[in-house]
Amino acid sequence: MPRTKLQWRTSVWFGRTPSLNSSQTDIKNPMKPVTANLRPGDFVEVLPPGEILQTLDADGTLDKLPFMPEMLEFCGRRFCVSKRVVKTCYYGTSSGMRKFPAGDVVLLEGLRCSGADHDGCQKACTIFWREAWLRRVDSLGPVPSILDPEGSKW
């Protein structure tokens, strides 16, 4: 039985994403499948800056979502997915709703923007993460080191 609009909104509002079947596609690009792999409770590692940079366009965005300088401090660290994001409010010179039709945006538990690279902004905004910037991991355990365990030897 198909979901009603109210059931869809309610399940998204409470952080549960309705099941998506593999035949669904992005509205703007019917050839691009919807990615909805990460779920609340999943553990992820933020990719290194070099790998994230490869996903960004000339404006520093992926599908119009910017990777902000404040996000760099989280690269290489592990976090738990807290919610999926379908839409958000925005304000400034105008206000409204922004939707994320690709279905690939998540929030990571406890992460907020420091505002350090935005003139010391103190709003502590929620940071939106594209799944392309994250790698699923089994736990929040220690991040594997890329250095030799005995230290760097010359």
Side-chain angles (χ1 to χ4, degrees):
M1 182 166 95
R3 290 178 178 264
T4 66
K5 286 184 181 180
L6 180 60
Q7 288 171 320
W8 177 268
R9 288 184 188 144
T10 303
S11 59
V12 170
W13 180 264
F14 289 105
R16 295 183 302 272
T17 303
S19 60
L20 299 172
N21 64 45
S22 59
S23 65
Q24 288 180 306
T25 56
D26 186 300
I27 296 167
K28 292 181 182 175
N29 181 357
M31 299 305 291
K32 180 181 174 185
V34 173
T35 58
N37 298 328
L38 297 176
R39 301 276 182 248
D42 286 348
F43 298 112
V44 296
E45 181 178 324
V46 180
L47 295 176
E51 289 182 43
I52 292 173
L53 183 61
Q54 294 174 4
T55 69
L56 305 178
D57 62 16
D59 296 324
T61 70
L62 175 58
D63 293 333
K64 299 182 183 177
L65 183 66
F67 187 84
M68 301 180 302
E70 290 90 349
M71 297 165 80
L72 284 171
E73 70 180 279
F74 304 115
C75 288
R77 294 175 53 195
R78 294 180 176 192
F79 303 94
C80 183
V81 174
S82 62
K83 293 181 182 173
R84 297 194 61 76
V85 180
V86 176
K87 61 185 174 181
T88 187
C89 301
Y90 65 87
Y91 61 94
T93 55
S94 65
S95 63
M97 294 293 291
R98 176 178 176 188
K99 295 180 182 179
F100 299 103
D104 65 341
V105 179
V106 297
L107 302 180
L108 301 180
E109 218 166 80
L111 296 191
R112 297 285 186 157
C113 179
S114 67
D117 290 295
H118 288 96
D119 296 324
C121 175
Q122 296 181 4
K123 291 181 183 176
C125 298
T126 303
I127 299 176
F128 295 141
W129 297 88
R130 291 273 182 200
E131 288 184 358
W133 301 334
L134 307 169
R135 175 183 305 120
R136 186 188 312 264
V137 294
D138 293 332
S139 70
L140 288 177
V143 178
S145 175
I146 58 172
L147 298 175
D148 183 322
E150 296 177 8
S152 184
K153 295 182 180 178
W154 296 96

